[in-house]
Amino acid sequence: MKKGIFGVLLVSSFGAYSGDDALSIDRVVPNSFDLVFPNDANVQPEQSDFVVNNFALMSNDSGERWAVVTLTNRASGRRSLTQKHLMAIVADGNRVSPIEFLRTFRANETLSLTINFGESKFPLLSVYSRSDF
């Protein structure tokens, strides 16, 4: 009897906990979505050969902010993408960089990556890079 009750409590507490950490898609943002928050400090990602093709924004009840970002390396050679090459705009107008990561792309390669932008009270609105393309 005690084992049965313990098992029910264990399963129900795990179910309650795991629901808080599950990510939900907030929205898929169209390319024509323009934001014009002031950027007085000129906070920008580092210049790179990476272009953001599209992204889907995700979050959970704990305030974690993630994005599935599809990027293309427009260089004719191998390049490494890091957190310095991407930035997100948050709903309060701030710019945030992702949590540290490293991914190597071949020349002209396109990949989708799931990227962690940390925790925030406000949702992510956009993800972007800085390139000449």
Short mmCIF file of all heavy atoms in Angstrom, two decimals, residues 34-102:
data_model
loop_
_atom_site.label_atom_id
_atom_site.label_comp_id
_atom_site.label_asym_id
_atom_site.label_seq_id
_atom_site.Cartn_x
_atom_site.Cartn_y
_atom_site.Cartn_z
N ASP A 34 8.71 44.45 -38.40
CA ASP A 34 9.69 45.48 -38.07
C ASP A 34 9.52 45.97 -36.64
O ASP A 34 8.40 46.22 -36.19
CB ASP A 34 9.56 46.68 -39.01
CG ASP A 34 10.01 46.36 -40.42
OD1 ASP A 34 10.95 45.57 -40.57
OD2 ASP A 34 9.40 46.91 -41.36
N LEU A 35 10.65 46.13 -35.93
CA LEU A 35 10.67 46.69 -34.58
C LEU A 35 11.57 47.91 -34.60
O LEU A 35 12.63 47.89 -35.24
CB LEU A 35 11.21 45.66 -33.58
CG LEU A 35 10.39 44.40 -33.42
CD1 LEU A 35 11.17 43.35 -32.65
CD2 LEU A 35 9.09 44.71 -32.71
N VAL A 36 11.19 48.96 -33.88
CA VAL A 36 11.97 50.19 -33.88
C VAL A 36 12.18 50.66 -32.44
O VAL A 36 11.78 51.75 -32.07
CB VAL A 36 11.29 51.29 -34.73
CG1 VAL A 36 12.23 52.48 -34.92
CG2 VAL A 36 10.86 50.75 -36.08
N PHE A 37 12.81 49.81 -31.64
CA PHE A 37 13.18 50.21 -30.28
C PHE A 37 14.45 51.05 -30.35
O PHE A 37 15.33 50.77 -31.16
CB PHE A 37 13.45 48.98 -29.40
CG PHE A 37 12.21 48.23 -28.99
CD1 PHE A 37 11.92 47.01 -29.55
CD2 PHE A 37 11.36 48.75 -28.02
CE1 PHE A 37 10.79 46.31 -29.16
CE2 PHE A 37 10.24 48.06 -27.63
CZ PHE A 37 9.94 46.84 -28.20
N PRO A 38 14.59 52.06 -29.49
CA PRO A 38 15.83 52.82 -29.48
C PRO A 38 17.01 51.94 -29.07
O PRO A 38 16.85 51.00 -28.30
CB PRO A 38 15.60 53.92 -28.45
CG PRO A 38 14.39 53.53 -27.70
CD PRO A 38 13.63 52.52 -28.50
N ASN A 39 18.17 52.24 -29.62
CA ASN A 39 19.39 51.50 -29.31
C ASN A 39 20.51 52.53 -29.09
O ASN A 39 21.49 52.58 -29.82
CB ASN A 39 19.74 50.53 -30.44
CG ASN A 39 20.88 49.59 -30.09
OD1 ASN A 39 21.38 49.58 -28.98
ND2 ASN A 39 21.30 48.81 -31.06
N ASP A 40 20.31 53.37 -28.06
CA ASP A 40 21.21 54.48 -27.79
C ASP A 40 22.65 54.03 -27.54
O ASP A 40 23.59 54.73 -27.89
CB ASP A 40 20.72 55.31 -26.60
CG ASP A 40 19.36 55.94 -26.88
OD1 ASP A 40 19.06 56.20 -28.07
OD2 ASP A 40 18.59 56.16 -25.93
N ALA A 41 22.83 52.87 -26.93
CA ALA A 41 24.17 52.36 -26.65
C ALA A 41 24.77 51.63 -27.85
O ALA A 41 25.89 51.13 -27.78
CB ALA A 41 24.15 51.45 -25.44
N ASN A 42 24.01 51.54 -28.96
CA ASN A 42 24.45 50.87 -30.18
C ASN A 42 24.92 49.43 -29.91
O ASN A 42 25.98 49.01 -30.38
CB ASN A 42 25.54 51.67 -30.90
CG ASN A 42 25.72 51.22 -32.33
OD1 ASN A 42 24.79 50.71 -32.96
ND2 ASN A 42 26.92 51.38 -32.86
N VAL A 43 24.13 48.68 -29.18
CA VAL A 43 24.43 47.28 -28.87
C VAL A 43 24.15 46.46 -30.12
O VAL A 43 23.04 46.50 -30.66
CB VAL A 43 23.57 46.78 -27.69
CG1 VAL A 43 23.83 45.32 -27.42
CG2 VAL A 43 23.81 47.63 -26.46
N GLN A 44 25.18 45.77 -30.63
CA GLN A 44 25.08 45.01 -31.87
C GLN A 44 25.82 43.69 -31.73
O GLN A 44 26.80 43.60 -30.99
CB GLN A 44 25.74 45.79 -33.02
CG GLN A 44 25.12 47.12 -33.34
CD GLN A 44 23.81 46.97 -34.07
OE1 GLN A 44 23.53 45.96 -34.71
NE2 GLN A 44 22.98 47.99 -33.96
N PRO A 45 25.40 42.68 -32.49
CA PRO A 45 26.21 41.47 -32.57
C PRO A 45 27.47 41.75 -33.38
O PRO A 45 27.51 42.72 -34.15
CB PRO A 45 25.31 40.46 -33.28
CG PRO A 45 24.29 41.27 -33.99
CD PRO A 45 24.17 42.57 -33.26
N GLU A 46 28.48 40.90 -33.23
CA GLU A 46 29.70 41.07 -34.03
C GLU A 46 29.39 40.83 -35.50
O GLU A 46 28.54 40.01 -35.85
CB GLU A 46 30.78 40.07 -33.58
CG GLU A 46 31.49 40.49 -32.32
CD GLU A 46 32.67 39.59 -32.00
OE1 GLU A 46 33.06 38.73 -32.82
OE2 GLU A 46 33.21 39.76 -30.89
N GLN A 47 30.12 41.52 -36.35
CA GLN A 47 30.00 41.34 -37.80
C GLN A 47 30.34 39.88 -38.13
O GLN A 47 31.26 39.30 -37.55
CB GLN A 47 30.99 42.28 -38.50
CG GLN A 47 30.89 42.30 -39.99
CD GLN A 47 29.71 43.12 -40.48
OE1 GLN A 47 29.28 44.04 -39.82
NE2 GLN A 47 29.19 42.76 -41.62
N SER A 48 29.60 39.29 -39.07
CA SER A 48 29.85 37.90 -39.44
C SER A 48 29.36 37.64 -40.86
O SER A 48 28.78 38.51 -41.50
CB SER A 48 29.15 36.95 -38.47
OG SER A 48 27.75 36.96 -38.68
N ASP A 49 29.58 36.42 -41.31
CA ASP A 49 29.09 35.97 -42.61
C ASP A 49 27.78 35.19 -42.48
O ASP A 49 27.35 34.54 -43.43
CB ASP A 49 30.15 35.09 -43.28
CG ASP A 49 31.39 35.86 -43.64
OD1 ASP A 49 31.27 36.96 -44.21
OD2 ASP A 49 32.51 35.39 -43.33
N PHE A 50 27.16 35.24 -41.30
CA PHE A 50 25.94 34.47 -41.05
C PHE A 50 24.70 35.33 -41.23
O PHE A 50 24.63 36.46 -40.74
CB PHE A 50 25.96 33.90 -39.63
CG PHE A 50 27.03 32.88 -39.43
CD1 PHE A 50 28.22 33.22 -38.82
CD2 PHE A 50 26.87 31.58 -39.88
CE1 PHE A 50 29.22 32.29 -38.64
CE2 PHE A 50 27.87 30.64 -39.72
CZ PHE A 50 29.05 30.99 -39.10
N VAL A 51 23.73 34.77 -41.93
CA VAL A 51 22.46 35.45 -42.16
C VAL A 51 21.36 34.63 -41.48
O VAL A 51 21.31 33.41 -41.63
CB VAL A 51 22.17 35.57 -43.67
CG1 VAL A 51 20.81 36.15 -43.93
CG2 VAL A 51 23.24 36.40 -44.34
N VAL A 52 20.50 35.30 -40.72
CA VAL A 52 19.35 34.64 -40.11
C VAL A 52 18.25 34.57 -41.16
O VAL A 52 17.76 35.59 -41.63
CB VAL A 52 18.85 35.42 -38.86
CG1 VAL A 52 17.57 34.80 -38.32
CG2 VAL A 52 19.93 35.45 -37.79
N ASN A 53 17.87 33.35 -41.53
CA ASN A 53 16.81 33.14 -42.52
C ASN A 53 15.43 33.25 -41.89
O ASN A 53 14.53 33.86 -42.46
CB ASN A 53 16.95 31.78 -43.20
CG ASN A 53 18.28 31.64 -43.90
OD1 ASN A 53 18.81 32.58 -44.45
ND2 ASN A 53 18.85 30.45 -43.85
N ASN A 54 15.27 32.61 -40.74
CA ASN A 54 14.00 32.66 -40.00
C ASN A 54 14.23 32.12 -38.60
O ASN A 54 15.31 31.59 -38.29
CB ASN A 54 12.89 31.90 -40.74
CG ASN A 54 13.28 30.48 -41.04
OD1 ASN A 54 13.59 29.70 -40.15
ND2 ASN A 54 13.30 30.12 -42.32
N PHE A 55 13.21 32.23 -37.76
CA PHE A 55 13.32 31.74 -36.39
C PHE A 55 11.94 31.49 -35.81
O PHE A 55 10.95 32.07 -36.25
CB PHE A 55 14.10 32.73 -35.50
CG PHE A 55 13.58 34.14 -35.56
CD1 PHE A 55 12.56 34.57 -34.72
CD2 PHE A 55 14.10 35.04 -36.47
CE1 PHE A 55 12.08 35.87 -34.79
CE2 PHE A 55 13.64 36.34 -36.55
CZ PHE A 55 12.62 36.75 -35.69
N ALA A 56 11.90 30.61 -34.81
CA ALA A 56 10.70 30.36 -34.01
C ALA A 56 11.11 30.58 -32.56
O ALA A 56 12.14 30.07 -32.11
CB ALA A 56 10.20 28.93 -34.21
N LEU A 57 10.31 31.35 -31.84
CA LEU A 57 10.62 31.72 -30.46
C LEU A 57 9.91 30.81 -29.48
O LEU A 57 8.74 30.47 -29.69
CB LEU A 57 10.23 33.18 -30.23
CG LEU A 57 10.84 34.16 -31.23
CD1 LEU A 57 10.26 35.55 -31.05
CD2 LEU A 57 12.34 34.18 -31.09
N MET A 58 10.61 30.43 -28.40
CA MET A 58 10.04 29.50 -27.42
C MET A 58 10.34 30.00 -26.01
O MET A 58 11.33 30.70 -25.78
CB MET A 58 10.64 28.11 -27.60
CG MET A 58 10.42 27.51 -28.96
SD MET A 58 11.20 25.88 -29.14
CE MET A 58 12.92 26.31 -29.02
N SER A 59 9.48 29.59 -25.07
CA SER A 59 9.70 29.93 -23.66
C SER A 59 8.98 28.92 -22.79
O SER A 59 8.23 28.07 -23.28
CB SER A 59 9.19 31.34 -23.36
OG SER A 59 7.79 31.41 -23.52
N ASN A 60 9.21 29.03 -21.48
CA ASN A 60 8.46 28.21 -20.52
C ASN A 60 8.05 29.09 -19.35
O ASN A 60 8.39 30.28 -19.29
CB ASN A 60 9.26 26.98 -20.07
CG ASN A 60 10.54 27.33 -19.35
OD1 ASN A 60 10.72 28.41 -18.82
ND2 ASN A 60 11.47 26.38 -19.32
N ASP A 61 7.31 28.51 -18.41
CA ASP A 61 6.80 29.26 -17.26
C ASP A 61 7.91 29.71 -16.32
O ASP A 61 7.69 30.59 -15.50
CB ASP A 61 5.78 28.43 -16.49
CG ASP A 61 4.50 28.23 -17.28
OD1 ASP A 61 4.23 29.04 -18.19
OD2 ASP A 61 3.75 27.28 -16.98
N SER A 62 9.09 29.14 -16.44
CA SER A 62 10.22 29.54 -15.60
C SER A 62 10.93 30.77 -16.15
O SER A 62 11.86 31.27 -15.53
CB SER A 62 11.23 28.38 -15.49
OG SER A 62 10.62 27.26 -14.92
N GLY A 63 10.54 31.26 -17.33
CA GLY A 63 11.15 32.45 -17.91
C GLY A 63 12.30 32.17 -18.83
O GLY A 63 12.97 33.10 -19.30
N GLU A 64 12.58 30.88 -19.13
CA GLU A 64 13.65 30.56 -20.08
C GLU A 64 13.22 31.01 -21.47
O GLU A 64 12.06 30.85 -21.85
CB GLU A 64 13.93 29.07 -20.10
CG GLU A 64 14.55 28.52 -18.86
CD GLU A 64 14.77 27.02 -18.97
OE1 GLU A 64 15.83 26.64 -19.50
OE2 GLU A 64 13.87 26.27 -18.58
N ARG A 65 14.17 31.57 -22.22
CA ARG A 65 13.90 32.05 -23.58
C ARG A 65 14.83 31.32 -24.55
O ARG A 65 16.04 31.33 -24.39
CB ARG A 65 14.14 33.56 -23.68
CG ARG A 65 13.37 34.36 -22.66
CD ARG A 65 11.88 34.25 -22.85
NE ARG A 65 11.17 34.92 -21.76
CZ ARG A 65 9.93 34.67 -21.44
NH1 ARG A 65 9.24 33.78 -22.12
NH2 ARG A 65 9.36 35.31 -20.44
N TRP A 66 14.23 30.67 -25.54
CA TRP A 66 14.96 29.91 -26.54
C TRP A 66 14.45 30.31 -27.93
O TRP A 66 13.36 30.84 -28.06
CB TRP A 66 14.70 28.41 -26.36
CG TRP A 66 15.25 27.81 -25.10
CD1 TRP A 66 14.74 27.94 -23.84
CD2 TRP A 66 16.39 26.97 -24.99
NE1 TRP A 66 15.51 27.24 -22.95
CE2 TRP A 66 16.52 26.63 -23.63
CE3 TRP A 66 17.31 26.47 -25.90
CZ2 TRP A 66 17.54 25.81 -23.17
CZ3 TRP A 66 18.32 25.65 -25.45
CH2 TRP A 66 18.43 25.33 -24.09
N ALA A 67 15.25 30.00 -28.93
CA ALA A 67 14.83 30.21 -30.32
C ALA A 67 15.41 29.10 -31.19
O ALA A 67 16.56 28.70 -31.00
CB ALA A 67 15.30 31.57 -30.82
N VAL A 68 14.61 28.62 -32.12
CA VAL A 68 15.12 27.76 -33.18
C VAL A 68 15.42 28.71 -34.34
O VAL A 68 14.50 29.36 -34.86
CB VAL A 68 14.09 26.68 -33.60
CG1 VAL A 68 14.62 25.89 -34.79
CG2 VAL A 68 13.76 25.77 -32.44
N VAL A 69 16.69 28.83 -34.68
CA VAL A 69 17.13 29.80 -35.67
C VAL A 69 17.74 29.07 -36.85
O VAL A 69 18.60 28.22 -36.69
CB VAL A 69 18.19 30.77 -35.05
CG1 VAL A 69 18.57 31.85 -36.05
CG2 VAL A 69 17.67 31.38 -33.75
N THR A 70 17.28 29.41 -38.05
CA THR A 70 17.87 28.87 -39.27
C THR A 70 18.80 29.93 -39.85
O THR A 70 18.38 31.05 -40.12
CB THR A 70 16.78 28.49 -40.29
OG1 THR A 70 15.90 27.53 -39.68
CG2 THR A 70 17.40 27.88 -41.55
N LEU A 71 20.08 29.54 -39.97
CA LEU A 71 21.13 30.46 -40.42
C LEU A 71 21.85 29.89 -41.62
O LEU A 71 21.94 28.67 -41.78
CB LEU A 71 22.17 30.65 -39.32
CG LEU A 71 21.67 31.19 -38.00
CD1 LEU A 71 21.98 30.24 -36.89
CD2 LEU A 71 22.31 32.53 -37.74
N THR A 72 22.40 30.79 -42.43
CA THR A 72 23.23 30.40 -43.56
C THR A 72 24.59 31.08 -43.44
O THR A 72 24.66 32.28 -43.18
CB THR A 72 22.59 30.80 -44.90
OG1 THR A 72 21.32 30.16 -45.00
CG2 THR A 72 23.46 30.40 -46.08
N ASN A 73 25.65 30.29 -43.61
CA ASN A 73 27.00 30.83 -43.70
C ASN A 73 27.21 31.25 -45.15
O ASN A 73 27.31 30.42 -46.03
CB ASN A 73 28.02 29.77 -43.30
CG ASN A 73 29.45 30.20 -43.57
OD1 ASN A 73 29.74 31.37 -43.72
ND2 ASN A 73 30.35 29.23 -43.65
N ARG A 74 27.27 32.53 -45.41
CA ARG A 74 27.40 33.05 -46.77
C ARG A 74 28.86 33.13 -47.23
O ARG A 74 29.13 33.55 -48.34
CB ARG A 74 26.76 34.43 -46.89
CG ARG A 74 25.27 34.43 -46.67
CD ARG A 74 24.58 33.87 -47.90
NE ARG A 74 23.15 33.78 -47.73
CZ ARG A 74 22.28 34.67 -48.19
NH1 ARG A 74 22.70 35.72 -48.84
NH2 ARG A 74 21.00 34.48 -47.99
N ALA A 75 29.78 32.74 -46.38
CA ALA A 75 31.20 32.78 -46.74
C ALA A 75 31.54 31.61 -47.67
O ALA A 75 30.86 30.59 -47.69
CB ALA A 75 32.06 32.71 -45.49
N SER A 76 32.63 31.76 -48.40
CA SER A 76 33.08 30.69 -49.29
C SER A 76 33.95 29.68 -48.57
O SER A 76 34.44 28.74 -49.18
CB SER A 76 33.84 31.29 -50.48
OG SER A 76 34.95 32.02 -50.00
N GLY A 77 34.11 29.85 -47.26
CA GLY A 77 34.89 28.91 -46.46
C GLY A 77 34.19 28.58 -45.16
O GLY A 77 33.12 29.10 -44.85
N ARG A 78 34.81 27.71 -44.41
CA ARG A 78 34.28 27.25 -43.12
C ARG A 78 34.30 28.40 -42.12
O ARG A 78 35.25 29.16 -42.05
CB ARG A 78 35.17 26.10 -42.64
CG ARG A 78 34.65 25.30 -41.52
CD ARG A 78 35.63 24.12 -41.27
NE ARG A 78 34.98 23.06 -40.59
CZ ARG A 78 34.27 22.10 -41.15
NH1 ARG A 78 34.14 22.05 -42.44
NH2 ARG A 78 33.70 21.17 -40.43
N ARG A 79 33.23 28.56 -41.32
CA ARG A 79 33.13 29.61 -40.31
C ARG A 79 32.54 29.05 -39.03
O ARG A 79 31.73 28.12 -39.07
CB ARG A 79 32.25 30.77 -40.77
CG ARG A 79 32.75 31.52 -41.98
CD ARG A 79 33.97 32.38 -41.64
NE ARG A 79 34.39 33.21 -42.74
CZ ARG A 79 35.26 32.85 -43.66
NH1 ARG A 79 35.80 31.65 -43.65
NH2 ARG A 79 35.60 33.69 -44.63
N SER A 80 32.92 29.64 -37.90
CA SER A 80 32.38 29.24 -36.59
C SER A 80 31.41 30.31 -36.10
O SER A 80 31.75 31.49 -36.05
CB SER A 80 33.51 29.07 -35.57
OG SER A 80 34.31 27.97 -35.92
N LEU A 81 30.23 29.88 -35.75
CA LEU A 81 29.21 30.75 -35.18
C LEU A 81 29.29 30.66 -33.66
O LEU A 81 29.36 29.56 -33.11
CB LEU A 81 27.82 30.30 -35.65
CG LEU A 81 26.63 31.05 -35.07
CD1 LEU A 81 26.53 32.44 -35.70
CD2 LEU A 81 25.35 30.26 -35.31
N THR A 82 29.29 31.81 -32.99
CA THR A 82 29.28 31.84 -31.53
C THR A 82 28.17 32.79 -31.07
O THR A 82 27.53 33.46 -31.89
CB THR A 82 30.62 32.33 -30.94
OG1 THR A 82 30.76 33.73 -31.19
CG2 THR A 82 31.80 31.55 -31.49
N GLN A 83 28.01 32.87 -29.77
CA GLN A 83 27.01 33.75 -29.17
C GLN A 83 27.26 35.22 -29.51
O GLN A 83 26.35 36.04 -29.47
CB GLN A 83 26.94 33.55 -27.65
CG GLN A 83 28.12 34.08 -26.88
CD GLN A 83 29.34 33.18 -26.91
OE1 GLN A 83 29.31 32.08 -27.47
NE2 GLN A 83 30.43 33.63 -26.30
N LYS A 84 28.46 35.57 -29.90
CA LYS A 84 28.80 36.96 -30.24
C LYS A 84 28.20 37.40 -31.57
O LYS A 84 28.10 38.59 -31.85
CB LYS A 84 30.31 37.13 -30.29
CG LYS A 84 30.99 36.91 -28.95
CD LYS A 84 32.49 37.03 -29.09
CE LYS A 84 33.16 36.72 -27.77
NZ LYS A 84 34.63 36.78 -27.88
N HIS A 85 27.79 36.43 -32.41
CA HIS A 85 27.29 36.74 -33.75
C HIS A 85 25.78 36.90 -33.82
O HIS A 85 25.26 37.25 -34.89
CB HIS A 85 27.72 35.65 -34.73
CG HIS A 85 29.20 35.53 -34.84
ND1 HIS A 85 29.87 34.38 -34.49
CD2 HIS A 85 30.15 36.43 -35.21
CE1 HIS A 85 31.17 34.57 -34.67
NE2 HIS A 85 31.36 35.81 -35.10
N LEU A 86 25.08 36.62 -32.72
CA LEU A 86 23.62 36.72 -32.72
C LEU A 86 23.15 37.60 -31.57
O LEU A 86 23.83 37.73 -30.55
CB LEU A 86 22.98 35.34 -32.55
CG LEU A 86 23.16 34.36 -33.69
CD1 LEU A 86 22.57 33.01 -33.32
CD2 LEU A 86 22.53 34.88 -34.96
N MET A 87 21.95 38.15 -31.73
CA MET A 87 21.35 38.95 -30.68
C MET A 87 19.84 38.83 -30.82
O MET A 87 19.32 38.56 -31.90
CB MET A 87 21.79 40.40 -30.82
CG MET A 87 21.55 41.24 -29.61
SD MET A 87 22.68 42.64 -29.57
CE MET A 87 24.13 41.86 -28.85
N ALA A 88 19.15 39.03 -29.70
CA ALA A 88 17.69 39.03 -29.70
C ALA A 88 17.20 40.34 -29.12
O ALA A 88 17.84 40.92 -28.25
CB ALA A 88 17.14 37.86 -28.89
N ILE A 89 16.05 40.79 -29.61
CA ILE A 89 15.38 41.94 -29.02
C ILE A 89 14.28 41.40 -28.12
O ILE A 89 13.50 40.54 -28.52
CB ILE A 89 14.78 42.86 -30.09
CG1 ILE A 89 15.88 43.44 -30.98
CG2 ILE A 89 13.98 43.99 -29.43
CD1 ILE A 89 15.39 44.33 -32.08
N VAL A 90 14.24 41.91 -26.90
CA VAL A 90 13.26 41.50 -25.90
C VAL A 90 12.13 42.53 -25.89
O VAL A 90 12.33 43.68 -26.30
CB VAL A 90 13.94 41.40 -24.51
CG1 VAL A 90 13.00 40.86 -23.47
CG2 VAL A 90 15.17 40.50 -24.61
N ALA A 91 10.95 42.15 -25.41
CA ALA A 91 9.77 43.01 -25.47
C ALA A 91 9.92 44.33 -24.71
O ALA A 91 9.15 45.26 -24.95
CB ALA A 91 8.55 42.26 -24.95
N ASP A 92 10.91 44.46 -23.84
CA ASP A 92 11.14 45.75 -23.18
C ASP A 92 12.13 46.61 -23.96
O ASP A 92 12.52 47.69 -23.52
CB ASP A 92 11.60 45.56 -21.74
CG ASP A 92 12.95 44.89 -21.61
OD1 ASP A 92 13.53 44.47 -22.64
OD2 ASP A 92 13.43 44.76 -20.47
N GLY A 93 12.56 46.15 -25.15
CA GLY A 93 13.46 46.91 -26.01
C GLY A 93 14.94 46.60 -25.81
O GLY A 93 15.76 47.07 -26.58
N ASN A 94 15.27 45.83 -24.79
CA ASN A 94 16.68 45.47 -24.56
C ASN A 94 17.15 44.46 -25.59
O ASN A 94 16.36 43.71 -26.16
CB ASN A 94 16.87 44.88 -23.16
CG ASN A 94 16.85 45.95 -22.10
OD1 ASN A 94 17.43 47.01 -22.27
ND2 ASN A 94 16.16 45.67 -21.01
N ARG A 95 18.46 44.43 -25.81
CA ARG A 95 19.10 43.45 -26.66
C ARG A 95 19.83 42.45 -25.76
O ARG A 95 20.50 42.87 -24.81
CB ARG A 95 20.12 44.09 -27.59
CG ARG A 95 19.53 44.64 -28.87
CD ARG A 95 19.02 46.01 -28.69
NE ARG A 95 18.62 46.58 -29.98
CZ ARG A 95 17.71 47.51 -30.08
NH1 ARG A 95 17.11 48.01 -29.03
NH2 ARG A 95 17.38 47.99 -31.26
N VAL A 96 19.71 41.16 -26.07
CA VAL A 96 20.39 40.13 -25.29
C VAL A 96 21.13 39.18 -26.21
O VAL A 96 20.68 38.90 -27.32
CB VAL A 96 19.42 39.34 -24.38
CG1 VAL A 96 18.81 40.22 -23.31
CG2 VAL A 96 18.33 38.66 -25.19
N SER A 97 22.27 38.71 -25.74
CA SER A 97 23.04 37.70 -26.46
C SER A 97 22.68 36.32 -25.94
O SER A 97 22.26 36.18 -24.79
CB SER A 97 24.54 37.93 -26.25
OG SER A 97 24.92 39.15 -26.81
N PRO A 98 22.86 35.30 -26.76
CA PRO A 98 22.59 33.94 -26.29
C PRO A 98 23.62 33.48 -25.26
O PRO A 98 24.68 34.08 -25.10
CB PRO A 98 22.71 33.08 -27.55
CG PRO A 98 22.93 34.00 -28.68
CD PRO A 98 23.25 35.35 -28.15
N ILE A 99 23.28 32.39 -24.60
CA ILE A 99 24.21 31.71 -23.71
C ILE A 99 25.34 31.16 -24.60
O ILE A 99 25.12 30.79 -25.75
CB ILE A 99 23.51 30.56 -22.95
CG1 ILE A 99 22.31 31.10 -22.14
CG2 ILE A 99 24.47 29.79 -22.07
CD1 ILE A 99 22.67 32.09 -21.07
N GLU A 100 26.54 31.08 -24.06
CA GLU A 100 27.72 30.67 -24.82
C GLU A 100 27.51 29.36 -25.59
O GLU A 100 27.00 28.38 -25.04
CB GLU A 100 28.91 30.51 -23.87
CG GLU A 100 30.21 30.27 -24.57
CD GLU A 100 31.39 30.28 -23.60
OE1 GLU A 100 31.26 30.79 -22.49
OE2 GLU A 100 32.44 29.74 -23.99
N PHE A 101 27.88 29.36 -26.88
CA PHE A 101 27.84 28.16 -27.71
C PHE A 101 28.83 28.32 -28.86
O PHE A 101 29.32 29.41 -29.13
CB PHE A 101 26.43 27.90 -28.25
CG PHE A 101 26.00 28.84 -29.34
CD1 PHE A 101 26.18 28.51 -30.67
CD2 PHE A 101 25.41 30.06 -29.04
CE1 PHE A 101 25.80 29.38 -31.68
CE2 PHE A 101 25.02 30.93 -30.03
CZ PHE A 101 25.21 30.60 -31.36
N LEU A 102 29.11 27.24 -29.55
CA LEU A 102 29.99 27.23 -30.71
C LEU A 102 29.48 26.19 -31.69
O LEU A 102 29.22 25.04 -31.32
CB LEU A 102 31.43 26.89 -30.29
CG LEU A 102 32.44 26.67 -31.41
CD1 LEU A 102 32.71 27.96 -32.17
CD2 LEU A 102 33.72 26.09 -30.85
#
